[in-house]
């Protein structure tokens, strides 16, 4: 989690220092590309949103380069890199937001699957004991 936050702040620092963008422009770019998930959304909605956003991301960002009126003072040869960094920063913000939700989802997955795994191991052991008890021998 710390690494993701550090990388996110590195992107913001790079936009400020290297490309001389103001805080207001960086904030507008962040809001434009921000994930559309809130902390109150349910698990299924979060999962569906992750899958949908991942599938549509190339189409959503690819042809919107001309929509960035905030970057009209940035030279055209630099504008593409600024937009790429902005998208990476938005992706980092999305990862930060979703990390807790995904950890919670895997916790529930473990809670459900551990008892089933124990039951399956027990059934396997009973199966082996019954097979040996009834005289089954290995063919190999």
């Amino acid at each position: 989690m710390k690494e993701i936050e550090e990388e996110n702040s590195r992107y913001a620092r790079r936009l400020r220092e290297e490309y001389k963008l103001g805080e207001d422009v960086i904030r507008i770019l962040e809001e434009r590309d921000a994930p559309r998930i809130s902390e109150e959304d349910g698990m299924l909605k979060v999962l569906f949103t992750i899958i949908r956003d991942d599938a549509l991301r190339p189409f959503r960002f690819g042809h919107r380069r001309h929509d960035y009126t905030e970057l009209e003072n940035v030279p055209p040869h630099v504008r593409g890199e600024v937009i790429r960094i902005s998208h990476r920063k938005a992706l980092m913000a999305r990862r930060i937001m979703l990390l807790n939700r995904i950890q919670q989802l895997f916790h529930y997955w473990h809670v459900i699957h551990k008892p089933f795994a124990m039951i399956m191991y027990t059934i396997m052991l009973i199966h082996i004991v019954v097979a040996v008890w009834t005289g089954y021998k290995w063919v190999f």
Side-chain angles (χ1 to χ4, degrees), residues 15 21 24-36 56-76 78-91:
L15 287 173
L21 294 180
D24 53 339
V25 174
I26 293 173
R27 186 178 39 78
I28 290 171
L29 291 174
E30 284 176 355
E31 288 173 1
R32 175 177 291 197
D33 297 332
R36 286 145 185 85
L56 297 178
R57 187 180 318 120
F59 304 108
R60 188 174 59 221
F61 293 144
H63 53 60
R64 283 188 16 194
R65 293 185 189 277
H66 61 278
D67 291 344
Y68 287 90
T69 57
E70 304 86 16
L71 300 176
E72 58 192 22
N73 297 334
V74 176
V78 175
R79 192 175 298 155
E81 182 64 23
V82 169
I83 292 171
R84 266 191 300 282
I85 291 173
S86 170
H87 292 323
R88 286 186 201 136
K89 189 166 171 20
L91 190 60

Side-chain angles (χ1 to χ4, degrees), residues 48-140:
F48 175 73
T49 304
I50 291 170
I51 293 169
R52 186 193 66 207
D53 283 354
D54 281 347
L56 297 178
R57 187 180 318 120
F59 304 108
R60 188 174 59 221
F61 293 144
H63 53 60
R64 283 188 16 194
R65 293 185 189 277
H66 61 278
D67 291 344
Y68 287 90
T69 57
E70 304 86 16
L71 300 176
E72 58 192 22
N73 297 334
V74 176
H77 65 280
V78 175
R79 192 175 298 155
E81 182 64 23
V82 169
I83 292 171
R84 266 191 300 282
I85 291 173
S86 170
H87 292 323
R88 286 186 201 136
K89 189 166 171 20
L91 190 60
M92 289 296 122
R94 178 175 173 250
R95 285 180 181 163
I96 290 169
M97 182 181 289
L98 295 177
L99 188 61
N100 277 340
R101 303 295 251 158
I102 291 173
Q103 284 176 341
Q104 190 178 21
L105 182 69
F106 279 121
H107 169 72
Y108 289 138
W109 184 85
H110 278 275
V111 166
I112 291 171
H113 283 83
K114 278 186 180 178
F116 286 118
M118 296 303 218
I119 291 170
M120 292 302 290
Y121 285 132
T122 306
I123 291 172
M124 178 188 69
L125 187 64
I126 292 171
H127 176 76
I128 291 171
V129 167
V130 168
V132 170
W133 181 50
T134 57
Y136 183 80
K137 295 186 177 28
W138 289 102
V139 179
F140 302 112

Side-chain angles (χ1 to χ4, degrees), residues 39-53:
E39 294 292 328
E40 296 83 32
D41 288 341
M43 221 34 101
L44 288 175
K45 183 176 181 185
V46 168
L47 195 59
F48 175 73
T49 304
I50 291 170
I51 293 169
R52 186 193 66 207
D53 283 354

